[in-house]
Amino acid sequence: MKSHLIIAAAIVGLSSTAHADSDHALHQHGAVVSETDTAKTASFDILAAHVHRDGRRITFHMTTSGTAGADTPAAAGQLGGAPVFAYVWPTSLDPSMVGFEEKTGILALAATSHPDFDDTPLYDEDGDGDPTNDGLKWHSHWVVLMPTEVCGQGALGVRDIPDGETPAMPATWPGLPIFIDSPGFTPLFDGPEVTVNVSLATPDAIVGTAYDGVTSALKVNANIHAPLLCVTDVFDVASGDLSLPGKVE
């Protein structure tokens, strides 16, 4: 009798694990999938990226071959030259969908970590009562990306706000002179999976949106502007060519 109970418990445990894993991007219909590459850092080696909608909740998630979120950048000790690590979902949504000036670039959701500065002044990610000291903690942003040759040939950067210009910005824009929003959506980590659940004022607009998955490093310009934030290293792209082959159902 005892052995039967042990076997039954083991089956229940395996079933629970399988059910949990089935929520991962890798097991979703229509996910953008990528082969394992052992030459890449496992926590940034993408196996799948996926975006789907359930009512008003929109889930962006990514499966990696290692433990997602395990690697964070080493501090530079100052804002100029500060490194950023990011899990990014570029989309075909117009930036105006989240409050930016329309038709200004590629709207992307990002989960980022950067120990040298804090760009979420409304939120206290580490719960210590100080909302200005937790940039290292993974947090979310909407950003608008655009080709930025100053960052390197064919490179992308976060769109700058030139001096004297006042383009439309989301209500939770942190005040930096770039197209960035700090909406407060908490990245969730579960072994190889990173997930960000978001909401939109018009959630139906996400249906049919194209998307991709990217892991990357960015760096703050040593001059702190023009451009402020460049993509300096692409660790992996789910599609291989940033063609945004995924479609939100």
Side-chain angles (χ1 to χ4, degrees):
M1 181 66 177
K2 184 176 180 180
S3 62
H4 290 168
L5 291 174
I6 292 172
I7 293 171
I11 292 172
V12 169
L14 288 171
S15 298
S16 298
T17 301
H19 177 73
D21 289 346
S22 69
D23 292 335
H24 288 181
L26 185 60
H27 301 102
Q28 300 299 314
H29 172 73
V32 183
V33 297
S34 177
E35 293 185 0
T36 299
D37 185 345
T38 56
K40 296 174 180 174
T41 301
S43 62
F44 295 119
D45 178 26
I46 301 172
L47 298 184
H50 189 254
V51 183
H52 65 272
R53 181 180 72 104
D54 182 8
R56 295 191 62 83
R57 184 177 67 181
I58 301 160
T59 299
F60 290 73
H61 54 153
M62 193 180 298
T63 308
T64 66
S65 66
T67 301
D71 293 283
T72 53
Q78 59 185 12
L79 179 59
V84 178
F85 284 175
Y87 296 89
V88 186
W89 294 262
T91 77
S92 63
L93 275 176
D94 189 87
S96 61
M97 290 302 302
V98 299
F100 293 110
E101 195 76 29
E102 67 177 352
K103 298 178 181 178
T104 46
I106 302 166
L107 181 66
L109 181 71
T112 70
S113 171
H114 41 75
D116 294 293
F117 63 100
D118 190 318
D119 51 9
T120 58
L122 299 177
Y123 309 103
D124 179 18
E125 284 87 354
D126 61 10
D128 69 347
D130 182 353
T132 66
N133 67 349
D134 37 32
L136 180 62
K137 296 287 184 179
W138 290 96
H139 54 280
S140 66
H141 293 294
W142 288 111
V143 293
V144 177
L145 302 171
M146 61 178 294
T148 309
E149 290 300 315
V150 179
C151 295
Q153 186 175 1
L156 294 173
V158 179
R159 188 182 186 99
D160 266 14
I161 302 175
D163 291 339
E165 293 190 11
T166 56
M169 288 287 122
T172 45
W173 172 56
L176 295 171
I178 52 175
F179 279 57
I180 187 171
D181 182 33
S182 301
F185 305 130
T186 303
L188 305 174
F189 292 91
D190 176 21
E193 193 83 354
V194 53
T195 301
V196 185
N197 291 309
V198 313
S199 60
L200 293 175
T202 53
D204 289 348
I206 195 78
V207 177
T209 294
Y211 67 87
D212 211 327
V214 177
T215 51
S216 66
L218 301 91
K219 184 176 288 186
V220 175
N221 192 311
N223 297 323
I224 322 298
H225 201 29
L228 176 64
L229 193 57
C230 290
V231 176
T232 56
D233 194 6
V234 175
F235 300 136
D236 200 5
V237 179
S239 67
D241 57 5
L242 203 59
S243 55
L244 277 65
K247 292 291 186 293
V248 181
E249 298 179 355

